[in-house]
C-alpha cells in the first residue's frame, strides 16, 4: 500500500509516527479535519508517517495519506469511513511493551506487518480518545505518544473534575452545577429545582453542556425555566452527565501552552470576539462559519502576562504534558476566570492553538516537531 512507510535499516531510519484520528465521539469529523492539517504539516524529511483512522463504530483502519480528502465539503465534515483503504481490514497495535510492530489484519488474508511505530500522535477529540482511554492503551503497549497521560487527559475531558482540580490549586473558576446521570433518571424534579436555585443565585441565562465533550457540541444557552429540560436532554444526547454554568460577562481569551525541553511555556493569547450570527461561540461558528479570533489579544501588558501565567499554572495543576489550550473569561471587573483546558485542541487551519503559536514565533511544522520530540523524550509508565 502506498501510504505504508518502507522499512529501512533500524539504525538509520526516520522515526515512524502513527497519526491516529477519527474515533467514536461526536467530534469524529473535527478529529479528521485536525488529522488532515497535521499530515499536511509534518516534516516528511524527518518522519515516516502512518495514518490510522478509527471509524465511528470503533474499527481501526489504515487510511489514505491524503490531507485534501480530510476537509469540509459542502458544509459537511469528513469521516474515516470515506478514506479507509479497506471496508473490513483492522489495524492492530502491539499488546506487549517489548514490541512496537503494527499489523494490518484483513478477513481471509495473512496479517500484514506495517512496521514498528516509534510514537503515536493521537489527534482524537472527545471521549474514547482525548479522555485517557487511548492513552491507557498506549501505556499498556509501551508506545510513546503526544500529549497528556491518562489522569491529565481524563481530568481535561471531565469539566466537573477539571474545575475541582483548578479550585484546589487556587485557580479562579466560575459558578457551576452538575446534574449526574442517576439524579436526572431518578428525580428530575429535584435536579430541576437545584438548577432553578442556582439561577436564583446567579441569574439567567445559563449555559447547559455535556460534562465530557468539546468543540461546543451539545451546548445550549437557556434564558429561562421553559427551555431548561430541552437543553438538558440535548446535552445528555452527548453525555449523561450535564454541567450547568452561570453567564460570565466579559471577553473570551485563549492561551496555548507548549512543552519545551526546559518546561512548559505560554503563547501570546487570543481574543474571541462576539459572533454576530450565533448566540455564542458554538460548533457552527467554530468550524463551519469560520469565526475568527484576534491574535495577539488586545490586552495590556499586565493582562497578557497574567493570562500566560494562569495558563501555565493550569497546565501544571492538571499535570499535563505536551500541549494545552486554556480558555478564559476576562470579566468586566478585570479578573481572569478559567473556563476549561483542552489537552488535544484542534489543529484545523482556523484553530486558535496553532495560530497563537504562529504569532509567538513557532511555525506550524515547528510546532508539530516540538510535540513529537517531547513525546519521544518521555517514557511510558509512571513518570
Amino acid at each position: 500500500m502506498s501510504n505504508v512507510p518502507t522499512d529501512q535499516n533500524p539504525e538509520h531510519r526516520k522515526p515512524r509516527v502513527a497519526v491516529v484520528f477519527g474515533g467514536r465521539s461526536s467530534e469524529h469529523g473535527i478529529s479528521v479535519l485536525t488529522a488532515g492539517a497535521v499530515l499536511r504539516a509534518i516534516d516528511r524529511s524527518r518522519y515516516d508517517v502512518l495514518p490510522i483512522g478509527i471509524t465511528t463504530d470503533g474499527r481501526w483502519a489504515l487510511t489514505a495519506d491524503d490531507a485534501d480528502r480530510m476537509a469540509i465539503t459542502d458544509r459537511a465534515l469528513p469521516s474515516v469511513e470515506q478514506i479507509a483503504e479497506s471496508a473490513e481490514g483492522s489495524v492492530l497495535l502491539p499488546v506487549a511493551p517489548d514490541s512496537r510492530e503494527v499489523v494490518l489484519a484483513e478477513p481471509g488474508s495473512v496479517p500484514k506487518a506495517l512496521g514498528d511505530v516509534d510514537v503515536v500522535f493521537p489527534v482524537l477529540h472527545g471521549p474514547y480518545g482525548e479522555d485517557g482511554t487511548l492513552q491507557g492503551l498506549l501505556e499498556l503497549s509501551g508506545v510513546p505518544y503526544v500529549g497528556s497521560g491518562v489522569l491529565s487527559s481524563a481530568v481535561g475531558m471531565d469539566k466537573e473534575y477539571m474545575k475541582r482540580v483548578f479550585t484546589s490549586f487556587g485557580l479562579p473558576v466560575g459558578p457551576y452545577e452538575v446534574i449526574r446521570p442517576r439524579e436526572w433518571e431518578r428525580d428530575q424534579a429535584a435536579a430541576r429545582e437545584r438548577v432553578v436555585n442556582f439561577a436564583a443565585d446567579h441569574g439567567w441565562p445559563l449555559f447547559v453542556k455535556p460534562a465530557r465533550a468539546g468543540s461546543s457540541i451539545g451546548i445550549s444557552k437557556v434564558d429561562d425555566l421553559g427551555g431548561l429540560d430541552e437543553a438538558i436532554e440535548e446535552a445528555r444526547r452527548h453525555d449523561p452527565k450535564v454541567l450547568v454554568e452561570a453567564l460570565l460577562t466579559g471577553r473570551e481569551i485563549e492561551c496555548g501552552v507548549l512543552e519545551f525541553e526546559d518546561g512548559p511555556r505560554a503563547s501570546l493569547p487570543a481574543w474571541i470576539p462576539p459572533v454576530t450570527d450565533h448566540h455564542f461561540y458554538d460548533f457552527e461558528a467554530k468550524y463551519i462559519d469560520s469565526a475568527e479570533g484576534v491574535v495577539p489579544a488586545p490586552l495590556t501588558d499586565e493582562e497578557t502576562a497574567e493570562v500566560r501565567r494562569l495558563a501555565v499554572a493550569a497546565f501544571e495543576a492538571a499535570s499535563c504534558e505536551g500541549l494545552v489550550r486554556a480558555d478564559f473569561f476576562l470579566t468586566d471587573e478585570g479578573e481572569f476566570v478559567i473556563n476549561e483546558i483542552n489537552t488535544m485542541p484542534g489543529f484545523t487551519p482556523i484553530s486558535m492553538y496553532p495560530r497563537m503559536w504562529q504569532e509567538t514565533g513557532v511555525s506550524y511544522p515547528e510546532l508539530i516537531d516540538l510535540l513529537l520530540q517531547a513525546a519521544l523524550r518521555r517514557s511510558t509508565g509512571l513518570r
Side-chain angles (χ1 to χ4, degrees):
M1 297 179 182
S2 58
N3 66 326
V4 179
T6 302
D7 281 324
Q8 305 166 31
N9 186 321
E11 295 182 0
H12 300 98
R13 72 173 177 84
K14 294 176 287 187
R16 180 167 295 155
V17 181
V19 179
V20 179
F21 59 96
R24 294 162 54 194
S25 84
S26 54
E27 298 174 76
H28 177 99
I30 303 303
S31 175
V32 179
L33 288 180
T34 295
V38 170
L39 290 173
R40 187 175 284 110
I42 198 167
D43 186 351
R44 303 306 179 98
S45 70
R46 298 195 61 186
Y47 302 98
D48 281 332
V49 178
L50 183 67
I52 300 173
I54 302 177
T55 63
T56 52
D57 62 2
R59 180 174 65 91
W60 290 50
L62 190 65
T63 70
D65 187 0
D66 186 353
D68 291 339
R69 295 174 61 189
M70 303 179 189
I72 293 174
T73 304
D74 296 327
R75 298 177 69 86
L77 292 167
S79 71
V80 169
E81 284 82 353
Q82 295 169 349
I83 56 175
E85 293 202 343
S86 167
E88 296 181 306
S90 295
V91 173
L92 308 177
L93 287 182
V95 294
D98 60 350
S99 172
R100 293 184 180 176
E101 185 174 70
V102 176
V103 172
L104 176 65
E106 295 185 282
S109 300
V110 176
K112 178 185 178 71
L114 302 180
D116 288 355
V117 165
D118 299 292
V119 61
V120 171
F121 199 144
V123 292
L124 293 106
H125 306 305
Y128 313 111
E130 190 183 349
D131 59 349
T133 51
L134 177 63
Q135 290 74 15
L137 175 63
L138 296 173
E139 292 285 351
L140 289 172
S141 299
V143 180
Y145 53 92
V146 169
S148 291
V150 176
L151 175 64
S152 303
S153 297
V155 167
M157 189 85 270
D158 191 313
K159 295 178 177 62
E160 176 195 359
Y161 287 99
M162 180 196 308
K163 292 175 185 292
R164 291 182 182 275
V165 168
F166 290 158
T167 299
S168 72
F169 277 83
L171 296 173
V173 171
Y176 68 96
E177 273 287 352
V178 177
I179 302 174
R180 298 180 182 279
R182 285 192 294 272
E183 180 183 15
W184 185 251
E185 292 159 7
R186 292 175 179 175
D187 194 343
Q188 292 186 13
R192 191 182 300 109
E193 181 180 5
R194 192 153 52 81
V195 175
V196 170
N197 292 336
F198 178 77
D201 292 335
H202 301 287
W204 300 90
L206 301 175
F207 288 90
V208 178
K209 59 180 66 174
R212 295 163 292 193
S215 299
S216 298
I217 290 174
I219 299 180
S220 301
K221 181 182 179 183
V222 182
D223 294 316
D224 53 44
L225 179 60
L228 181 60
D229 282 15
E230 182 180 354
I232 291 173
E233 292 297 347
E234 170 61 20
R236 281 173 52 84
R237 288 200 311 112
H238 304 278
D239 184 353
K241 184 163 78 166
V242 176
L243 191 75
V244 179
E245 294 178 328
L247 172 68
L248 294 175
T249 57
R251 288 180 284 170
E252 292 188 49
I253 306 294
E254 297 183 351
C255 191
V257 181
L258 178 63
E259 180 183 349
F260 291 80
E261 286 195 62
D262 60 352
R265 303 180 203 168
S267 70
L268 290 172
W271 169 49
I272 308 301
V275 288
T276 57
D277 296 331
H278 301 264
H279 292 299
F280 57 95
Y281 192 40
D282 62 4
F283 175 84
E284 291 274 325
K286 279 185 179 180
Y287 298 105
I288 304 300
D289 293 334
S290 304
E292 291 291 334
V294 177
V295 189
L299 302 172
T300 67
D301 291 344
E302 292 76 13
E303 289 169 338
T304 297
E306 176 65 1
V307 75
R308 295 176 86 172
R309 182 190 72 80
L310 288 170
V312 173
F315 183 95
E316 297 283 29
S319 299
C320 295
E321 295 170 297
L323 72 163
V324 149
R325 193 194 73 231
D327 300 346
F328 298 86
F329 290 105
L330 177 55
T331 68
D332 293 342
E333 293 73 36
E335 299 294 329
F336 281 104
V337 175
I338 186 165
N339 184 37
E340 65 180 40
I341 58 171
N342 279 268
T343 56
M344 186 51 68
F347 278 78
T348 68
I350 62 170
S351 295
M352 295 311 303
Y353 185 84
R355 284 189 57 202
M356 287 187 287
W357 278 109
Q358 178 77 40
E359 292 296 323
T360 312
V362 180
S363 70
Y364 203 128
E366 289 172 327
L367 178 61
I368 301 300
D369 183 60
L370 284 167
L371 290 169
L372 290 171
Q373 290 302 314
L376 287 166
R377 285 195 303 270
R378 288 195 299 268
S379 63
T380 54
L382 298 177
R383 53 188 183 275

